[in-house]
Amino acid sequence: MSVESVLFYLFGTILVASALGVITARNPVHGVLLLVLAFFTAAVLWLLLQAEFLAIVLVLVYVGAVMVLFLFVVMMLDVNVARIREGYAKYLPLGIVIALVMAAQIVIVVGAQAFGLEFFPRPEALPADHSNTRALGLLLYTHYVYPFELAAVILLVAIVAAITLTLRHREGTRTQDVSRQVRVKRADRVRLVKMDSDKGEQP
Amino acid sequence: MTDTAFTIPAFMLALPEIWLLTAACAVLLADLFIPDARRALTLWLSVAVILVTAGLVVIGFPDASTTTFEGMFIHDPMSAVLKVGMLVIAAFALLCSRAYLADRGLLKGEYFTLALFSVLGMMVMISAGSFLTVYLGLELLSLSLYAMVALDRDSPIAAEAAMKYFVLGAIASGLLLYGMSLLYGVTGSLDLATVSAAVADGQIARAPLMLALAFVVVGLTFKLGAVPFHMWVPDVYHGAPTSVTLFIGSAPKIAAFALLMRMLVDGLESLHADWQQLLIILSVLSLAIGNIVAIAQTNIKRMLAYSTISHVGFLLLGVLAGTAAGYSASMFYALVYALMAAGGFAMVLLLSRQGFEGDRLDDFRGLNERSPWFAFVMLILMASMAGLPPTVGFFAKVEVLAAVVDVELVWLAVVAVAFSIVGAYYYLRVIKLMYFDQAEDTHALAVGPEFKVALSANGLAVLGLGLFPGLLLGLCAAVFL
């Protein structure tokens, strides 16, 4: 067994185990942390495929940004695990049957008889100075420019939708209006009161 | 891989899409400078943008099928006809929504921006030439629609509907993607033409192809709302604000038909014998459940939702015939159904007013006394949905049935006719309520002049196309020559 195979099976096992952990962990924070582990090992698998750009982006974007945000949300929301698990035992037998059927189908279908090396010859290893980033960039902005632009539009829709659904101007909330703060004049905030110093206000 | 020659794609073929994207962004920005009191201006701008897009599609009407962006964008007569139909109906849906949205405090610029982006998604789907663009167009459409359903944040049923739509939509996308990934695995290509050639070649093992086909068909029919993947349709149609229901219940059906054609016919036509079996089961179930359950509904939005399911059954009949006549019959059906559904949901908007949703069947009681003209329009729409001559719905059903009989599936045609007769009951019940019952509600109908013009035009189009069906039928037939 070559070094690559050993590494592949090692990290593949960790990936599957941590993915199983995500869906079985009782504590949601543990679930999120296991998902982080799964992303890290998936990144390693990509490195083994010589796709270093994708591996680094996976770590930077998913682990660095998305999962941290996830962790914040999980910690801030009071997730009642017991309520979510209601009916878990009731649907478990049906779920197991469906999962087994699906797994059997996939094992039968996605095997060497249809996806073996005789159908898809092993790709040649790329030279050490091959730049995955450069290759991706060249493809994205030439051959795949149309889907690339569409993906950008989808992100724009996500921004518009998120803002529309969450931005509320409720009466009584103390939001900061920066332009009003900047525009403010001395007269708006300070009031000079003339009082006789010797008399003062008598209680 | 990076050395393959790259030629600048023919951008002009995608001019309507490029214009729509640019104009949608411009409307998004322009809306910021429009004061709340004049928000209707955004509506007019959006309608104008859509109509200009339709004009651009008509100007660039193709004689033959060409592709650009390396085959990812198909420019053919079918896509042009479907796009024009979809754009006109989307413009109709926006035009009808002003009073309803304003009464509920939902008349916001984002509504129209999201609608414009979803229209762009539908155009991308209709012209998709690769799995990548199929999926991106579908997601662009779906994401915009989820947000539009959730727009009324104070309504718990709208939030529930949006949640259901989102979760089930995501599952459907996942199934579709899984099927696509298997197809990519066995053919090595995302391009529909290449996939089609590789599958027709017969070198590929059947097992993965069949699994992929099952996933693709389930994903597509989930989106269409065919039984047994229909459970979300009534809840979403009922829970969404009615103007949104009008939008999602009409134009996207045309795009979904295009999706079916692109994936099954352009991509997997050589597996026709296999997907025909699947579609037969789905269409018989849809015709049965849709028509029978619709009878039990008291809410017209739910009733029309179940009627949608039964019409999807009819739509599948034409496609599963697998002949040019079947495809053109289904295409005619999709266009006609979108027109009728838009009119049907617009009637619910007509009966709604501030603080009142006219979405119960009882609200149609005595409509003839309140407004004879709109009762007549509803009569045309219901007769057309039931498939009675001389409305266009009759010809839509006849064409589909003729195509099914031509491929020797007479029993299927008999089943379809039997369930249409069951279905006629609940359409005729609405007519009975309007003409023979006393009105309980005597409020004046509160809609703007543009709404009256649009709805009247819709009703007259259903009648006019029924009297002269050759216009649209000829167009649909010419597409598949």
Side-chain angles (χ1 to χ4, degrees):
Chain A
M1 221 193 255
S2 64
V3 184
E4 283 97 13
S5 305
V6 174
L7 286 176
F8 173 79
Y9 283 111
L10 175 67
F11 285 103
T13 317
I14 300 177
L15 175 59
V16 174
S18 54
L20 273 176
V22 175
I23 52 171
T24 49
R26 285 197 164 272
N27 186 331
V29 177
H30 293 171
V32 174
L33 292 175
L34 283 166
L35 195 53
V36 170
L37 180 62
F39 281 140
F40 263 114
T41 41
V44 174
L45 294 186
W46 260 335
L47 276 182
L48 287 173
L49 291 172
Q50 297 184 305
E52 72 277 358
F53 179 77
L54 293 178
I56 292 166
V57 164
L58 185 71
V59 171
L60 281 184
V61 175
Y62 275 84
V63 178
V66 177
M67 292 322 291
V68 171
L69 211 62
F70 233 79
L71 209 54
F72 269 120
V73 173
V74 169
M75 286 178 170
M76 282 169 78
L77 288 179
D78 186 18
V79 184
N80 188 345
V81 182
R83 254 200 81 202
I84 293 173
R85 286 182 182 255
E86 250 175 46
Y88 182 74
K90 199 172 116 197
Y91 295 116
L92 191 62
L94 185 65
I96 288 178
V97 170
I98 292 176
L100 283 179
V101 170
M102 291 277 290
Q105 274 187 336
I106 290 167
V107 168
I108 291 167
V109 166
V110 191
Q113 76 278 15
F115 292 91
L117 281 179
E118 64 267 32
F119 295 98
F120 298 97
R122 188 192 167 94
E124 290 295 308
L126 295 164
D129 64 345
H130 177 79
S131 168
N132 176 239
T133 318
R134 185 184 142 80
L136 265 178
L138 275 176
L139 277 181
L140 270 188
Y141 295 104
T142 55
H143 299 276
Y144 289 92
V145 67
Y146 180 54
F148 180 72
E149 293 295 333
L150 287 177
V153 179
I154 291 180
L155 288 180
L156 178 62
V157 167
I159 296 171
V160 172
I163 294 176
T164 319
L165 295 182
T166 52
L167 186 69
R168 268 175 195 257
H169 294 289
R170 238 187 257 130
E171 288 296 312
T173 47
R174 295 170 190 202
T175 44
Q176 210 175 358
D177 188 345
V178 179
S179 62
R180 257 187 69 205
Q181 286 178 329
V182 173
R183 265 185 288 135
V184 81
K185 295 209 172 58
R186 179 174 172 274
D188 299 336
R189 294 285 163 92
V190 182
R191 187 165 57 99
L192 285 180
V193 183
K194 190 124 178 117
M195 293 174 95
D196 283 336
S197 56
D198 52 334
K199 282 183 189 157
E201 272 189 62
Q202 297 301 320
Chain B
M1 158 170 95
T2 54
D3 304 327
T4 42
F6 172 70
T7 46
I8 298 291
F11 289 107
M12 283 309 281
L13 295 182
L15 184 65
E17 279 83 358
I18 295 171
W19 150 258
L20 181 59
L21 173 60
T22 320
C25 293
V27 170
L28 178 67
L29 287 180
D31 178 63
L32 291 175
F33 300 98
I34 297 176
D36 269 338
R38 305 186 48 201
R39 191 61 67 201
L41 193 58
T42 316
L43 183 155
W44 292 111
L45 276 177
S46 309
V47 171
V49 165
I50 293 179
L51 291 179
V52 170
T53 315
L56 289 173
V57 177
V58 172
I59 291 170
F61 198 92
D63 303 318
S65 177
T66 42
T67 61
T68 181
F69 296 110
E70 322 234 321
M72 286 187 244
F73 182 96
I74 302 179
H75 184 65
D76 60 357
M78 179 184 94
S79 66
V81 173
L82 288 175
K83 275 180 197 170
V84 172
M86 182 273 291
L87 289 165
V88 169
I89 287 167
F92 170 82
L94 291 188
L95 211 53
C96 290
S97 59
R98 186 180 57 83
Y100 182 88
L101 290 173
D103 287 346
R104 281 152 190 80
L106 298 174
L107 193 64
K108 289 187 265 186
E110 290 80 7
Y111 181 88
F112 303 105
T113 319
L114 289 169
L116 286 177
F117 281 123
S118 72
V119 169
L120 177 64
M122 289 190 262
M123 294 187 70
V124 171
M125 268 162 80
I126 292 173
S127 271
S130 116
F131 289 151
L132 212 51
T133 37
V134 164
Y135 183 70
L136 286 171
L138 184 61
E139 284 305 291
L140 184 53
L141 166 67
S142 308
L143 274 177
S144 316
L145 293 186
Y146 303 147
M148 282 171 81
V149 173
L151 211 61
D152 188 3
R153 289 174 305 190
D154 299 321
S155 155
I157 60 163
E160 189 193 324
M163 211 54 210
K164 266 187 189 149
Y165 196 22
F166 178 67
V167 171
L168 293 177
I171 292 174
S173 298
L175 292 172
L176 190 62
L177 265 188
Y178 195 72
M180 287 176 179
S181 73
L182 279 172
L183 285 174
Y184 176 64
V186 288
T187 61
S189 174
L190 291 171
D191 183 59
L192 282 168
T194 318
V195 169
S196 178
V199 173
D201 198 29
Q203 297 291 308
I204 300 164
R206 266 186 71 78
L209 271 185
M210 287 304 107
L211 190 67
L213 179 66
F215 274 110
V216 166
V217 168
V218 171
L220 291 176
T221 47
F222 222 122
K223 294 281 179 197
L224 269 172
V227 179
F229 314 111
H230 67 291
M231 293 310 292
W232 59 273
V233 178
D235 290 338
V236 171
Y237 281 25
H238 180 204
T242 309
S243 62
V244 178
T245 311
L246 164 58
F247 194 84
I248 56 181
S250 53
K253 295 293 169 212
I254 297 176
F257 165 75
L259 191 64
L260 206 61
M261 291 298 292
R262 294 291 180 215
M263 291 294 290
L264 293 185
V265 180
D266 287 2
L268 301 168
E269 192 162 25
S270 45
L271 299 178
H272 170 251
D274 302 294
W275 52 257
Q276 187 181 44
Q277 307 284 324
L278 294 173
L279 293 191
I280 286 177
I281 300 170
L282 290 166
S283 73
V284 169
L285 283 175
S286 303
L287 286 165
I289 307 271
N291 279 319
I292 291 170
V293 181
I295 293 174
Q297 304 305 316
T298 54
N299 182 299
I300 187 143
K301 279 159 83 179
R302 289 190 89 84
M303 188 195 96
L304 288 175
Y306 280 102
S307 121
T308 298
I309 295 168
S310 71
H311 286 288
V312 165
F314 253 101
L315 192 74
L316 293 177
L317 283 182
V319 177
L320 67 83
T323 55
Y327 300 146
S328 71
S330 265
M331 181 172 162
F332 183 66
Y333 203 98
L335 290 167
V336 165
Y337 174 71
L339 186 68
M340 298 185 303
F345 287 114
M347 291 302 299
V348 185
L349 287 178
L350 176 76
L351 296 184
S352 304
R353 57 177 177 270
Q354 188 140 29
F356 178 78
E357 300 279 337
D359 62 354
R360 292 172 309 139
L361 275 178
D362 288 343
D363 295 328
F364 279 86
R365 275 181 204 281
L367 184 62
N368 186 39
E369 295 161 28
R370 293 168 67 194
S371 166
W373 168 243
F374 285 112
F376 176 66
V377 170
M378 187 65 171
L379 168 81
I380 296 173
L381 289 169
M382 288 293 118
S384 181
M385 284 200 190
L388 302 177
T391 56
V392 69
F394 171 73
F395 292 98
K397 283 193 164 62
V398 166
E399 287 295 310
V400 169
L401 292 174
V404 174
V405 170
D406 275 349
V407 292
E408 322 250 294
L409 289 167
V410 181
W411 69 272
L412 203 54
V414 173
V415 169
V417 170
F419 283 117
S420 302
I421 294 168
V422 174
Y425 166 75
Y426 60 85
Y427 296 123
L428 295 178
R429 184 172 57 183
V430 176
I431 297 176
K432 179 236 166 205
L433 287 174
M434 290 191 303
Y435 282 93
F436 302 107
D437 283 16
Q438 284 294 316
E440 293 172 351
D441 181 353
T442 48
H443 285 82
L445 300 171
V447 286
E450 83 280 5
F451 182 101
K452 290 182 176 162
V453 170
L455 185 53
S456 306
N458 183 302
L460 290 176
V462 170
L463 189 62
L465 283 173
L467 294 173
F468 306 102
L471 298 171
L472 190 56
L473 264 176
L475 205 57
C476 291
V479 163
F480 291 100
L481 276 183

